[in-house]
């Protein structure tokens, strides 16, 4: 079974530029998550999708971050414009269902450096 | 609100020694607890999880953890460390009755030396 795919793996941009990350979850997984992992910290949930609807985006900085999951499969996370403090690893995860005991499967992440 | 505290951002052990990584949680309702491992430049991989039932949970790679409600703890142990165990370990909590939202601790980096 293929795992969660993410691209690109690394990205370097200058502040005020825009950037987009792509995620393809495990086939058949209805729930998709985007996390931000700043160096030295645990992952923090940015947004959660159930199929193509948003379940939780309470910690997404909506003035600069946006995400979509068209057709309930793959997803794109965008930052525009980027700030220095956005430097982090962006992890995508998916799970079969939205229940609380369900295991989340993580992709390798995209490491973003904002200069 | 739920929270997770991992005591010790860095732990160093000798190969063959006991591994003990500490995790305490805060939750007003019965929690569901997870340990994930992250190897360099990789995503997180589930080691084990506690949902209900037996409080001693066995996971992959010889790790186990015990849920102690009275101590609000979920410490991760392994009897004998291997060089390949060197990684970062994250404890996480979610709660029943809500959707699947993981709250992670800050992580503990485990170093294993010969």
């Amino acid at each position: 079974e293929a795992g969660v795919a993410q691209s690109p793996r690394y990205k370097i941009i200058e502040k005020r530029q825009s950037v987009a990350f792509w995620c393809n979850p495990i086939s058949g997984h209805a729930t998709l998550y985007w996390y931000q992992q700043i160096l030295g910290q645990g992952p923090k949930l940015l947004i959660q999708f159930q199929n193509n609807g948003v379940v939780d985006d309470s910690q997404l900085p909506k003035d600069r971050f946006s995400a979509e999951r068209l057709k309930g499969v793959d997803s794109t996370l965008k930052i525009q414009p980027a700030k220095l403090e956005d430097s982090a690893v962006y992890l995508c995860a998916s799970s079969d269902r939205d229940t609380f005991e369900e295991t989340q499967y993580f992709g390798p992440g995209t490491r973003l450096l904002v200069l | 609100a739920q929270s997770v505290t991992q005591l010790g951002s860095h732990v160093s052990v000798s190969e063959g020694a006991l591994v003990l990584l500490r995790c305490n949680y805060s939750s007003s309702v019965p929690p569901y607890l997870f340990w994930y491992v992250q190897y360099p430049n990789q995503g997180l991989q589930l080691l084990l999880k506690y949902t209900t039932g037996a409080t001693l949970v066995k996971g992959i790679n010889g790790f186990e953890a015990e849920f102690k409600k009275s101590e609000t703890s979920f410490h991760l142990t392994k009897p004998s460390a291997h060089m390949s165990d060197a990684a970062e370990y994250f404890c996480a909590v979610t709660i029943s009755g809500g959707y699947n939202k993981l709250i992670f601790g800050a992580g503990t980096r485990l170093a294993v030396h010969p």
Side-chain angles (χ1 to χ4, degrees):
Chain A
E1 178 182 79
V4 177
Q6 291 188 247
S7 67
R9 292 295 310 276
Y10 305 91
K11 191 74 176 179
I12 302 174
I13 62 173
E14 295 188 348
K15 59 183 179 182
R16 292 187 290 273
Q17 287 187 323
S18 63
V19 65
F21 312 128
W22 175 82
C23 172
N24 192 306
I26 292 173
S27 177
H29 278 191
T31 311
L32 185 147
Y33 315 78
W34 282 103
Y35 288 87
Q36 180 191 58
Q37 185 180 15
I38 293 172
L39 187 65
Q41 300 180 19
K44 181 185 78 173
L45 181 68
L46 291 176
I47 188 167
Q48 177 180 347
F49 293 93
Q50 179 71 12
N51 295 309
N52 61 350
V54 176
V55 174
D56 183 356
D57 64 356
S58 58
Q59 297 196 84
L60 187 73
K62 298 181 186 64
D63 58 334
R64 298 183 300 107
F65 285 65
S66 65
E68 60 182 10
R69 190 184 184 197
L70 300 177
K71 301 180 181 179
V73 182
D74 55 351
S75 175
T76 302
L77 176 69
K78 297 179 181 177
I79 308 175
Q80 182 179 11
K83 293 185 175 181
L84 297 177
E85 58 261 36
D86 297 332
S87 294
V89 176
Y90 291 85
L91 295 165
C92 180
S94 70
S95 64
D96 187 16
R97 295 171 295 174
D98 190 25
T99 52
F100 39 83
E101 74 274 20
E102 196 71 19
T103 297
Q104 294 185 24
Y105 296 88
F106 285 80
T110 296
R111 188 174 299 272
L112 174 67
L113 179 60
V114 182
L115 302 176
Chain B
Q2 294 72 41
S3 66
V4 175
T5 302
Q6 292 185 240
L7 296 176
S9 58
H10 290 82
V11 170
S12 181
V13 300
S14 299
E15 190 173 21
L18 171 71
V19 175
L20 171 60
L21 304 182
R22 300 177 187 274
C23 172
N24 288 87
Y25 69 89
S26 171
S27 176
S28 58
V29 296
Y32 293 81
L33 297 157
F34 303 76
W35 275 100
Y36 280 85
V37 61
Q38 186 176 35
Y39 297 102
N41 298 317
Q42 295 186 28
L44 280 72
Q45 178 184 5
L46 181 70
L47 274 178
L48 49 82
K49 64 181 179 182
Y50 168 79
T51 54
T52 58
T55 57
L56 182 62
V57 181
K58 295 186 183 300
I60 62 172
N61 301 338
F63 285 93
E64 62 182 35
E66 187 171 10
F67 169 59
K68 292 187 177 181
K69 184 178 178 180
S70 61
E71 300 177 7
T72 61
S73 69
F74 191 57
H75 302 330
L76 182 71
T77 60
K78 182 174 181 177
S80 177
H82 192 272
M83 297 294 288
S84 60
D85 294 327
E88 187 144 25
Y89 293 79
F90 292 93
C91 183
V93 63
T94 187
I95 60 169
S96 62
Y99 52 85
N100 191 350
K101 178 177 180 176
L102 285 174
I103 308 297
F104 284 90
T108 297
R109 184 167 297 278
L110 175 67
V112 183
H113 52 86

